Amino acid sequence: MALPEKRIFRGIPYVTGAASATLLAADLELSFWGGVDPRTGEIIDRFHPLNGRFLKDTILAIPGGRGSCGGSVIMMELILNGLGPKALIFERREEIITLGVMVAEEFFDKTAAVVTLTPEDFRDTLGWDGKTVHIRGELVSDAPLKADSANGSAKHAVDHNKIDVQLTDADRAVLDGASGKAAMISLKIIIRMAQMMGAQELMDVSQAHVDGAWYGPGSIAFGQRLRDWDGKFQVPTTINALNVDQKCWRVIGINADFGSACDELAKAFVDMGGKISFTCAPYLLENAPRLGDPIAWGESNAVIYANSVLGARTLKNPNMFEALIALTGRAPKAGVYVDENRFASIWFRVTPPDGADDSFWPILGYALGAIATTHIPVITGLEHLKPSNDDFKAFSAAFATSSSAPMFHMVNLTPEAPTVEAVCANSMVPKAIDVDSKDLYAIWDEFNHGSEPREIDLVSLGNPHFSCREIKEVARLCQGKTKKDDVSVIVTCGRSQYGLASQAGYVGELEKFGIQFLQDTCWCSIEEPVIPKNTRTIMTNSGKYIHYGPGLTGRQFAFGSLEMCVDAACTGKTTGDPPSWLRGVRST
């Protein structure tokens, strides 16, 4: 009997290495942050077909990442914990996860091979799921490869004379160590990423928003090494939400070792010149960028909002990469920094329902993001709705969760889209995809597990961080009502918006109602004891948290509008019925 022929595919090795392991494969993007537990290596995204599987000592094949920019840190932590895959195979260039591997390699001398195949070859590898797969350099095979068949696993080095990216004399001086070790290592990784992105040169940025959250021991080592290597941010830099409220974490019972570690990491970023903002909604700050400003932001919802709603320009930077850019002031001139990469390649023609409330925007954002995947969409049909900044915030967060696209356009609503043609290359409009109430009902049903009634123990508000205007709206909805004693309600927000809401009296009103406010942190980082141990079901109005929350907390979830959340706080339950604008609609 003839043996099956060995198949070998040749790809692009963005991190060179060699590995042989069982293939774990799925034809669906995965967010490592919120989708993989760095402490166990388990895939915890309940929406993903690999949910419940473990990454340790596998070769993972997925089309690419999606969702949170924090996936880079999770990848780094997995490598350092010895719980990650030995190698990764992607269908397309994957910047977020690959950056995590590069940082692990450059900072800690640990790595994993990363290879991108053509779509056709990637599809063929999916059929190898559960079988032993072999990688060496650019080659991927279902049979062992000779050691000399490709480059080995030597650590990547930057050779000034072989860099495809044009460097200035100042850049070369930084690589030679003239600005210190932190800047040198930072620029080395920036150049590796620039080569990966196909950038021909680097460019200056005007500001940055960096992540200072703790994801594990690697996170704090990363921040402290940069600080101890005399790293200083070269542009005005704000800091994203932390894991704890710095002012009260001891009072509310956070473990002392964990709280202190979070404080130490935040201090490292402050020591490097970071501004104490501690918010995942930097577009609410006074220094928010303007149309055309080149910036370097992390935090997926903020990136989408900045590019789309403000018309600023930032890559969907993997966490840690935005800090490296801030330390040098230099970024790859690629992606949506460049005019032609901001064009839409997919058109959504939305038929909005009558009487839509605030729950419409996260549901729509999640639905469109899931269809768009990597494509920048142009969206029509919403012109008459006049969404508020908070509506855009909710849409951006949900869109960022279900897609990996860096932005969207809404005709007559976002600054670069006066018409459909204006945001399409050569005014060539793609074929329209119609989206109506049935599509949105399907997302509602997915969010609520079949829309069944539930007892509610905790109401979660503020993912992304609440604005003063949203706090005001909660105060209005709570007037004349009484919160049920055994239901907790927690709002997370940044210090600036909390200060405005406090001055206006809204915080005092809501604290009398029984609502707890947390600053600095947000729901992506909140665990017990802030979430009471006996909590079984959490209700939220966030399209982002309804996706990540079940995996992060192990609790059941329900989704609803802000008014539905307040009603649940008062009654202790949700009926499971959809909002009025979806009633009578059923998914196909």
Side-chain angles (χ1 to χ4, degrees):
M1 182 176 178
L3 294 173
E5 183 179 353
K6 177 170 73 173
R7 290 176 293 177
I8 300 177
F9 299 127
R10 191 178 299 272
I12 301 174
Y14 288 114
V15 180
T16 302
S20 296
T22 301
L23 187 70
L24 186 63
D27 191 18
L28 181 65
E29 292 81 359
L30 174 67
S31 173
F32 269 52
W33 184 91
V36 180
D37 187 339
R39 297 165 295 190
T40 64
E42 181 183 3
I43 297 172
I44 57 174
D45 180 351
R46 67 176 175 84
F47 295 94
H48 201 276
L50 296 179
N51 182 42
R53 305 288 293 277
F54 289 82
L55 295 177
K56 179 178 170 60
D57 294 335
T58 67
I59 292 177
L60 177 67
I62 53 175
R66 66 174 180 179
S68 175
C69 302
S72 53
V73 192
I74 301 302
M75 185 68 242
M76 178 190 70
E77 294 284 356
L78 287 166
I79 291 174
L80 299 185
N81 292 342
L83 297 171
K86 291 184 176 180
L88 301 113
I89 302 172
F90 297 122
E91 182 182 20
R92 60 176 182 270
R93 189 183 74 207
E94 168 45 52
E95 292 150 12
I96 291 176
I97 300 170
T98 304
L99 186 276
V101 180
M102 289 182 180
V103 171
E105 189 173 66
E106 296 288 355
F107 277 70
F108 305 105
D109 229 14
K110 296 184 178 181
T111 192
V114 179
V115 182
T116 297
L117 297 177
T118 66
E120 295 77 16
D121 291 348
F122 175 82
R123 300 291 161 192
D124 285 344
T125 64
L126 294 178
W128 301 347
D129 184 39
K131 299 178 181 179
T132 300
V133 170
H134 308 270
I135 292 176
R136 184 167 291 276
E138 63 187 3
L139 303 181
V140 178
S141 177
D142 60 350
L145 294 162
K146 294 181 181 179
D148 60 353
S149 61
N151 292 330
S153 56
K155 184 176 177 181
H156 187 283
V158 173
D159 184 337
H160 292 201
N161 298 315
K162 295 182 179 179
I163 294 172
D164 296 330
V165 181
Q166 182 178 344
L167 301 178
T168 65
D169 290 342
D171 292 332
R172 294 178 183 276
V174 170
L175 285 177
D176 287 333
S179 299
K181 187 173 182 179
M184 179 183 67
I185 297 294
S186 296
L187 191 59
K188 183 177 179 181
I189 296 175
I190 289 168
I191 291 169
R192 290 185 67 176
M193 289 291 286
Q195 291 176 307
M196 180 179 179
M197 296 174 185
Q200 296 182 346
E201 60 183 317
L202 303 182
M203 56 177 280
D204 293 334
V205 298
S206 60
Q207 64 164 268
H209 184 69
V210 301
D211 192 70
W214 186 94
Y215 298 91
S219 304
I220 194 166
F222 170 79
Q224 290 184 333
R225 285 191 183 191
L226 287 172
R227 189 265 315 275
D228 295 344
W229 290 338
D230 295 325
K232 296 293 180 185
F233 295 137
Q234 300 301 303
V235 294
T237 300
T238 50
I239 304 175
N240 201 39
L242 309 177
N243 300 81
V244 296
D245 184 329
Q246 278 202 329
K247 298 176 181 177
C248 70
W249 64 261
R250 294 174 179 82
V251 175
I252 60 180
I254 298 294
N255 175 273
D257 290 339
F258 176 69
S260 296
C262 294
D263 282 351
E264 283 298 310
L265 179 56
K267 183 178 185 300
F269 281 87
V270 172
D271 289 346
M272 288 187 285
K275 180 181 178 182
I276 297 177
S277 52
F278 301 155
T279 180
C280 56
Y283 38 82
L284 299 176
L285 298 172
E286 291 182 355
N287 68 330
R290 299 180 180 180
L291 182 67
D293 285 353
I295 62 176
W297 277 13
E299 171 59 46
S300 59
N301 94 82
V303 166
I304 303 299
Y305 191 102
N307 280 322
S308 310
V309 183
L310 301 180
R313 300 194 172 200
T314 177
L315 302 174
K316 191 174 182 181
N317 286 300
N319 282 5
M320 301 186 291
F321 193 52
E322 80 282 20
L324 304 180
I325 294 173
L327 285 162
T328 62
R330 303 285 279 165
K333 190 174 183 180
V336 290
Y337 283 131
V338 182
D339 289 345
E340 55 263 33
N341 294 332
R342 297 175 72 85
F343 287 128
S345 56
I346 189 170
W347 174 20
F348 292 124
R349 188 164 53 196
V350 179
T351 303
D354 294 330
D357 60 19
D358 58 272
S359 65
F360 169 75
W361 296 101
I363 289 175
L364 180 66
Y366 194 93
L368 299 188
I371 301 169
T373 60
T374 62
H375 299 282
I376 296 173
V378 57
I379 305 161
T380 59
L382 306 176
E383 295 85 342
H384 65 289
L385 294 184
K386 298 181 180 179
S388 68
N389 289 339
D390 294 321
D391 293 330
F392 274 128
K393 176 160 68 79
F395 180 96
S396 297
F399 180 85
T401 298
S402 59
S403 81
S404 56
M407 65 181 298
F408 62 86
H409 299 285
M410 286 186 187
V411 170
N412 282 341
L413 294 173
T414 55
E416 297 175 51
T419 64
V420 174
E421 292 79 8
V423 292
C424 296
N426 301 315
S427 299
M428 297 293 292
V429 179
K431 182 179 178 181
I433 298 174
D434 291 318
V435 177
D436 60 21
S437 296
K438 290 184 178 180
D439 301 300
L440 303 184
Y441 185 89
I443 300 300
W444 163 268
D445 205 45
E446 182 178 340
F447 281 177
N448 285 285
H449 307 280
S451 303
E452 57 189 45
R454 283 191 174 82
E455 300 291 321
I456 301 299
D457 304 298
L458 170 64
V459 175
S460 151
L461 303 173
N463 190 344
H465 275 168
F466 256 22
S467 67
C468 179
R469 185 173 178 269
E470 287 173 300
I471 296 171
K472 177 183 178 181
E473 178 63 10
V474 176
R476 184 189 70 80
L477 290 170
C478 291
Q479 285 180 356
K481 297 178 181 178
T482 302
K483 185 182 75 68
K484 200 168 186 288
D485 289 341
D486 57 356
V487 178
S488 300
V489 184
I490 302 175
V491 172
T492 62
C493 57
R495 295 185 182 191
S496 66
Q497 297 298 300
Y498 179 86
L500 293 173
S502 295
Q503 292 173 11
Y506 306 133
V507 170
E509 288 179 36
L510 291 173
E511 287 179 337
K512 289 179 182 178
F513 179 80
I515 290 178
Q516 178 185 359
F517 282 85
L518 291 176
Q519 301 171 67
D520 301 345
T521 189
C522 83
W523 285 99
C524 295
S525 302
I526 292 176
E527 300 178 352
E528 295 180 13
V530 177
I531 297 175
K533 191 170 185 178
N534 61 355
T535 298
R536 294 160 299 177
T537 305
I538 300 171
M539 187 167 186
T540 184
N541 70 332
S542 167
K544 179 177 181 177
Y545 196 49
I546 195 68
H547 178 95
Y548 292 123
L552 291 171
T553 68
R555 267 66 171 198
Q556 295 295 313
F557 270 71
F559 172 86
S561 67
L562 193 54
E563 183 174 11
M564 294 166 75
C565 287
V566 171
D567 288 344
C570 297
T571 63
K573 59 186 178 182
T574 178
T575 64
D577 294 333
S580 59
W581 59 272
L582 276 179
R583 287 175 193 163
V585 179
R586 288 293 182 269
S587 58
T588 54

